[in-house]
Amino acid sequence: MKDNKIVKLSLVLFLVCAIAAGVLGVVYNLTKPTIDRRALEKTTAAFAAVLEAESYEVVDTGAYTLDRSVNSVYKASDGSGYVVESTFSGAQGNITMVVGVKSDYTCSGISITEHSETSGLGAVAASASDAGVAFREQFIGVGENVTVKDIDAIAGATITSTAVTNAVATSITTVKTIEGGAAA
């Protein structure tokens, strides 16, 4: 008698799980195109904010020894520079950002695309607030030797400020490596 109850309960639990998994699969398939489209729009906007170009071509970085924080590198079709996407450790998790690097090896702009920094502190770096915009704008024109001492760090967010500064310096170094042909 007890064995029948266990089998019956197990069968009911299995059916509930199977139905839930099926529903999740259907919802995923219905929402995936929208999610992918929004991610592409976000990436396109970030690229345009840091280095305006008609289009960008992926650079094959396999032949180069690059910093492990560099996710991908794109070259502007008009030859004006590169966009480097990288992920660095912040105070509360990873910070993913894109950095525009002009052909003279200076930063043309930065855009933080993902982060989990503390609201009101490190999150200011990515915000549309005056403080966030001012923080990001000070990187325009800097070179690969920029350090956190060269910028006005966000008050209470030294780790975030350092991570962003390191990402800018690493991005410029990455482009120099690619342009100079320093293969692995």
Side-chain angles (χ1 to χ4, degrees):
M1 188 81 151
K2 273 188 172 179
D3 288 339
N4 281 344
K5 273 188 163 182
I6 291 173
V7 170
K8 186 177 178 182
L9 288 174
S10 297
L11 184 59
V12 169
L13 181 60
F14 173 76
L15 288 173
V16 168
C17 289
I19 291 169
V23 169
L24 286 173
V26 168
V27 169
Y28 172 79
N29 285 328
L30 290 174
T31 58
K32 186 172 182 351
T34 302
I35 293 169
D36 290 346
R37 180 178 42 80
R38 287 187 180 166
L40 179 62
E41 289 170 358
K42 183 178 179 181
T43 300
T44 302
F47 279 29
V50 300
L51 184 73
E52 213 166 312
E54 191 171 308
S55 64
Y56 308 89
E57 300 168 7
V58 176
V59 175
D60 179 11
T61 58
Y64 306 99
T65 303
L66 302 179
D67 190 283
R68 62 182 172 83
S69 63
V70 174
N71 302 338
S72 51
V73 180
Y74 302 85
K75 184 174 184 175
S77 59
D78 61 4
S80 61
Y82 292 80
V83 175
V84 180
E85 181 182 39
S86 60
T87 302
F88 278 78
S89 291
Q92 302 298 318
N94 288 332
I95 300 171
T96 301
M97 59 187 284
V98 292
V99 177
V101 180
K102 295 190 297 187
S103 55
D104 65 352
Y105 306 118
T106 59
C107 177
S108 61
I110 66 172
S111 180
I112 298 172
T113 56
E114 290 182 37
H115 70 88
S116 54
E117 298 302 275
T118 306
S119 180
L121 294 173
V124 170
S127 76
S129 69
D130 291 343
V133 171
F135 174 74
R136 291 187 305 276
E137 283 180 346
Q138 66 186 328
F139 289 97
I140 296 173
V142 302
E144 71 179 312
N145 295 322
V146 64
T147 67
V148 75
K149 293 176 184 177
D150 300 325
I151 61 153
D152 290 329
I154 298 169
T158 306
I159 295 171
T160 304
S161 300
T162 301
V164 171
T165 304
N166 290 341
V168 170
T170 298
S171 296
I172 296 169
T173 300
T174 296
V175 170
K176 276 188 160 183
T177 299
I178 291 169
E179 286 282 306

